[in-house]
Amino acid sequence: MRKAFISPSKYVQGENEILNLGYFIRTYGDSALLIAHPEDVKRVKDKLDVTINKFNVTLVESGFHGECTRDEIKRLKELAREKKCSCTIGLGGGKAIDTAKCVAEGDALIIVPTIAATDAPTSHSAVIYTEEGAFEDYAYFKQSPSVVMIDTTVIANAPTRFLVSGMGDALSTYYEARATSRSFTKVNAGLPCGVHEGAASVARGTKAALALAKLCYETLLEDGVNAKIACDSNQVTPALENIIETNILLSGLGFESGGLAAAHAIHNGLTVLPGTHHYFHGEKVAFSTIAQLVLENAPQAELNEVLEFCSAIGLPVCLADIGVNSITQEELLKVAQIACIPEESIHAMPFPITEEAVASAIAVANQIGREFKKSKGAL
């Protein structure tokens, strides 16, 4: 059996870590193309100024347009060549990070997230959008980012909702990796640059990835509540540090090398419902994780544990929590149809999948979540 595991070359995390950015730029040369939204640059400008002066490096401002499109990627590649940049930096949220990945194409790349809302920073993939902001394609590169640098002070001062959303994304990691392990389905770690199918792209997850995914879940239960409280207070504590690592590193390694299954596919299906558009990725994944547990008929104790965790930190447990106050059978089937397209990760589940079964799982998960909230006096 062919297996694969992929990870960044270096992951560093600490208070005021951005002050060391110049050191990592220096490992490649003396200049870097900075791809970041102006507001994110403004948040950390003082630290950027210090590290630039300390290490005598140049940051080339990209004038990032805010969307990861083919035209923007082409423009920034030309800018990097013109300015002879030694490396690329993606600083901020998902769009800036994905654009930086596409510009670097697997070479000298430093990722500096300013929020811990998803597990994308460590991955060797990116999402490309159209000029109108619609999904266009996935891109895969020859390796993960060279350096992932986490400034915990910056993340502690970001809105708590981002951190909680990241915990929602991380919540699915173990359950999806477990399902993929049971079905021996291929994982993203086996996808080299430009390869989507064929012998070179097929690899199964490793025991190491499954162990990291399990640790991801355990850390959420142990530190999630206290990390949220710390972030509410804009304070860096051991619990917050652990959850930042969980949201970004453990979940990132877990999903790429452990595999995705029903939860992320159901998330993708839910995006067809207009009410969900105002909610973050991880918030929708949290409810989709409950739907996956229903789909696989997980033990009641396991389901209750997930419901209690979501309730404790403010993650969705029913459709109303992600903007869907009512849903028809026709809409359920439409969501299920999108979740079940042939290339979706739901087929990593260790049993046959039907659209009807998925629609039923979503409906029952919604009812379970509603009854749980009612029992807590929250409905």
Side-chain angles (χ1 to χ4, degrees):
M1 183 184 298
R2 186 171 186 263
K3 296 184 178 184
F5 184 92
I6 192 168
S7 68
S9 301
K10 183 179 286 290
Y11 177 93
V12 290
Q13 173 183 314
E15 295 182 63
N16 298 311
E17 188 61 36
I18 288 176
L19 296 176
N20 294 320
L21 179 59
Y23 166 82
F24 289 103
I25 295 172
R26 272 285 167 198
T27 62
Y28 303 108
D30 59 7
S31 64
L33 178 67
L34 177 63
I35 300 175
H37 190 279
E39 286 301 312
D40 286 315
V41 174
K42 185 177 178 181
R43 286 177 61 198
V44 298
K45 188 175 186 308
D46 290 347
K47 294 180 183 182
L48 291 177
D49 288 343
V50 170
T51 198
I52 287 169
N53 293 328
K54 180 179 179 180
F55 293 97
N56 192 26
V57 294
T58 301
L59 287 182
V60 176
E61 294 281 357
S62 65
F64 178 50
H65 293 168
E67 195 67 78
C68 184
T69 65
R70 295 193 185 279
D71 284 347
E72 180 71 339
I73 293 163
K74 180 181 177 183
R75 180 184 74 82
L76 293 174
K77 282 183 178 179
E78 291 172 354
L79 178 61
R81 281 194 294 269
E82 176 191 335
K83 299 295 185 180
K84 298 184 169 137
C85 295
S86 308
C87 62
T88 305
I89 298 171
L91 184 148
K95 297 295 179 69
I97 288 171
D98 277 0
T99 304
K101 289 178 184 178
C102 293
V103 171
E105 292 187 317
D107 292 323
L109 172 63
I110 303 171
I111 298 296
V112 188
T114 55
I115 54 176
T118 73
D119 51 19
T122 65
S123 78
H124 78 311
S125 61
V127 181
I128 299 174
Y129 295 86
T130 66
E131 294 293 337
E132 294 72 35
F135 169 82
E136 182 175 316
D137 197 11
Y138 291 107
Y140 293 90
F141 307 103
K142 61 186 178 184
Q143 62 187 29
S144 298
S146 313
V147 179
V148 177
M149 168 181 286
I150 314 296
D151 190 319
T152 54
T153 311
V154 172
I155 291 176
N157 283 279
T160 304
R161 185 181 173 191
F162 288 119
L163 185 82
V164 172
S165 176
M167 286 193 267
D169 198 19
L171 180 64
S172 71
T173 303
Y174 171 60
Y175 292 115
E176 292 190 281
R178 182 178 71 178
T180 302
S181 175
R182 289 172 176 174
S183 64
F184 299 98
T185 303
K186 67 182 181 181
V187 297
N188 281 357
L191 289 169
C193 178
V195 176
H196 290 270
E197 292 296 338
S201 71
V202 178
R204 272 65 185 182
T206 60
K207 287 177 69 66
L210 184 59
L212 290 170
K214 189 169 187 290
L215 178 61
C216 176
Y217 180 70
E218 291 168 348
T219 309
L220 287 174
L221 297 186
E222 183 176 348
D223 289 314
V225 172
N226 286 337
K228 178 184 181 298
I229 294 170
C231 198
D232 284 339
S233 305
N234 305 124
Q235 301 297 318
V236 177
T237 64
L240 180 62
E241 290 173 336
N242 289 344
I243 289 301
I244 291 170
E245 180 183 341
T246 296
N247 286 6
I248 296 174
L249 182 63
L250 294 179
S251 185
L253 300 182
F255 99 80
E256 276 215 298
S257 296
L260 298 175
H264 271 78
I266 291 171
H267 161 277
N268 294 343
L270 288 170
T271 61
V272 76
L273 303 175
T276 67
H277 295 175
H278 301 292
Y279 291 83
F280 293 162
H281 172 82
E283 293 170 334
K284 289 175 278 191
V285 169
F287 171 74
S288 300
T289 300
I290 297 169
Q292 174 176 320
L293 292 174
V294 172
L295 182 65
E296 62 185 335
N297 196 28
Q300 188 64 44
E302 202 166 66
L303 190 56
N304 288 343
E305 189 172 67
V306 169
L307 289 165
E308 291 284 357
F309 172 74
C310 289
S311 176
I313 65 168
L315 281 170
V317 297
C318 64
L319 288 172
D321 292 342
I322 52 172
V324 182
N325 293 312
S326 63
I327 189 167
T328 66
Q329 184 63 24
E330 183 181 3
E331 288 172 325
L332 278 170
L333 287 170
K334 179 63 175 175
V335 171
Q337 181 183 23
I338 294 171
C340 293
I341 61 175
E343 59 268 31
E344 262 296 359
S345 59
I346 200 164
H347 301 292
M349 298 301 291
F351 47 79
I353 294 292
T354 67
E355 293 174 10
E356 292 76 15
V358 174
S360 295
I362 295 168
V364 171
N366 180 48
Q367 189 59 31
I368 288 172
R370 286 175 56 83
E371 290 179 5
F372 176 82
K373 290 185 72 172
K374 189 175 179 180
S375 72
K376 298 289 185 179
L379 191 66

